[in-house]
Amino acid sequence: MKPPSAAVTELRALVGSGHFADALPIVRTKTLDLEKDDLSAWIALRAEVLLQTGDEDAASLVAREALKRPIAAAHASQLHRVLAICTFNRGELVSSMEHIESARNQALSARTPLLLAYAELTHLWLALTFRSLDVALAALPRVRVAVARSGDSACFALLHLYVGRAEARRGALQEAQRHYTAAERLIKLNPNPWLQGLVEIDRSVVFVLQGDHVAALAAATRASELAELSGHFRTKLAAAINNSHILERLGDIDGARKHVAFALEATDTNRHLTRAALDSLANLEITAGHYDDCQSVLDETTRRARADVGARPHWDAI
């Protein structure tokens, strides 16, 4: 098999190291001079970069168009995983589960352990978001096997991150922090601002649950800085929402309002993050004593929640 071109190799390295912002200008260049296999790889990486930098409509379009034509199983796996995340963010749960199953099957067909590990990890992340813990964690043995077979440090770090998230949902906050520390040790072996940003987001939540709002603010601030470096759109929004919530707790209403305004302006297609931002705004209005404004925000949140029956995050039902 012919080795990938230098352009594909460079792009793959940037994506693999979590530098989506640096990859974005590259995927906007022309690809017509690439051979067939390189072009398919490029398209799959392009869809990934567009997703991670926040242009989900473009990512979906690229992926759907590519899947209309014959394409290598490995690249099809990547494209279905992109579509699984895009459709989930739009509240299309059934479609999301179909795409992640296709991503898993295509990875198996391609006999590519790394792609199978990412498909399994993505399924675990989705399940932890909207399923009960018992249901979500039923697949954990299978995920662990896939990650072990991949031998990839980033996959091991994601596994620790997601298990830590599950422990936090149980209320085992110290155990969650232990998993985040383990993830950080792995990330240090191969620095990755995207993965480190994810860890900081989760740490900020756990610090809030532990009542340490100063440490929570520091973690959310680091997550925001890392999101600027990586270009990861979801982390950027999550950091803004967390910062808003934490600053409101610390009494900085104006600062909190700036963060939540940014989050609401930046997202609308991601239903889950939009409702999280609205929840933060509702808390702000209560703290500020603006009860009528709070009711208006809650009415909008309820309207949006009713549109996502069956696909609501576990925390949203609260």
Side-chain angles (χ1 to χ4, degrees):
M1 181 180 294
K2 185 178 178 181
S5 67
V8 170
T9 300
E10 178 190 11
L11 185 56
R12 187 172 287 149
L14 287 170
V15 172
S17 62
H19 288 88
F20 309 116
D22 293 337
L24 186 58
I26 298 174
V27 302
R28 288 174 173 161
T29 61
K30 293 182 180 179
T31 60
L32 299 180
D33 57 338
L34 295 174
E35 295 183 11
K36 181 179 178 180
D37 287 345
D38 274 350
L39 183 58
S40 295
W42 182 277
I43 290 170
L45 289 165
R46 182 171 184 242
E48 177 82 14
V49 171
L50 291 170
L51 164 65
Q52 302 296 9
T53 54
D55 196 345
E56 294 190 12
D57 289 342
S60 293
L61 180 62
V62 168
R64 292 184 190 281
E65 288 298 314
L67 288 169
K68 290 178 181 178
R69 303 182 293 274
I71 191 169
H75 305 145
S77 177
Q78 291 174 276
L79 293 167
H80 277 295
R81 192 175 70 85
V82 166
L83 287 170
I85 296 170
C86 289
T87 51
F88 180 74
N89 288 342
R90 290 197 295 266
E92 300 169 12
L93 181 59
V94 173
S95 179
S96 177
M97 293 298 100
E98 289 173 350
H99 281 298
I100 203 60
E101 187 63 26
S102 294
R104 179 189 289 126
N105 290 336
Q106 292 287 356
L108 286 168
S109 178
R111 298 181 179 180
T112 307
L114 181 61
L115 291 178
L116 180 60
Y118 271 110
E120 296 287 10
L121 285 163
T122 301
H123 183 266
L124 178 61
W125 166 63
L126 295 174
L128 283 170
T129 304
F130 72 93
R131 301 264 194 221
S132 69
L133 268 181
D134 288 343
V135 172
L137 293 179
L140 188 56
R142 185 176 70 188
V143 180
R144 283 176 168 150
V145 169
V147 169
R149 288 176 176 169
S150 78
D152 185 75
S153 63
C155 288
F156 278 104
L158 278 172
L159 180 58
H160 275 293
L161 177 71
Y162 296 153
V163 173
R165 195 169 293 176
E167 294 294 354
R169 279 187 62 183
R170 289 188 209 272
L173 303 183
Q174 290 298 329
E175 189 65 14
Q177 293 282 26
R178 187 182 71 80
H179 279 286
Y180 301 150
T181 299
E184 284 182 316
R185 283 199 297 267
L186 289 163
I187 294 167
K188 286 178 181 177
L189 298 175
N190 294 290
N192 187 312
W194 164 57
L195 290 174
Q196 187 62 49
L198 296 180
V199 171
E200 297 295 351
I201 284 293
D202 278 39
R203 276 198 186 281
S204 72
V205 173
V206 170
F207 280 133
V208 168
L209 294 173
Q210 292 175 322
D212 191 343
H213 293 97
V214 173
L217 182 61
T221 300
R222 285 194 299 272
S224 182
E225 293 167 350
L226 287 160
E228 289 298 323
L229 179 59
S230 70
H232 191 234
F233 183 70
R234 187 183 181 91
T235 296
K236 186 182 297 186
L237 289 187
I241 293 166
N242 286 10
N243 271 313
S244 174
H245 181 69
I246 297 161
L247 288 172
E248 179 256 325
R249 294 286 185 92
L250 291 171
D252 185 356
I253 302 301
D254 291 339
R257 200 176 289 279
K258 289 177 183 177
H259 282 289
V260 78
F262 166 77
L264 287 170
E265 184 178 351
T267 184
D268 187 58
T269 57
N270 189 315
R271 296 189 179 193
H272 314 307
L273 288 179
T274 298
R275 290 206 306 277
L278 287 169
D279 175 72
S280 186
L281 180 58
N283 283 319
L284 270 176
E285 301 299 6
I286 290 174
T287 301
H290 302 157
Y291 302 117
D292 289 342
D293 291 337
C294 175
Q295 186 60 57
S296 297
V297 174
L298 290 174
D299 290 344
E300 173 64 11
T301 304
T302 301
R303 183 189 69 78
R304 288 174 177 266
R306 285 173 178 161
D308 294 336
V309 175
R312 293 172 64 186
H314 64 88
W315 43 261
D316 187 67
I318 299 172

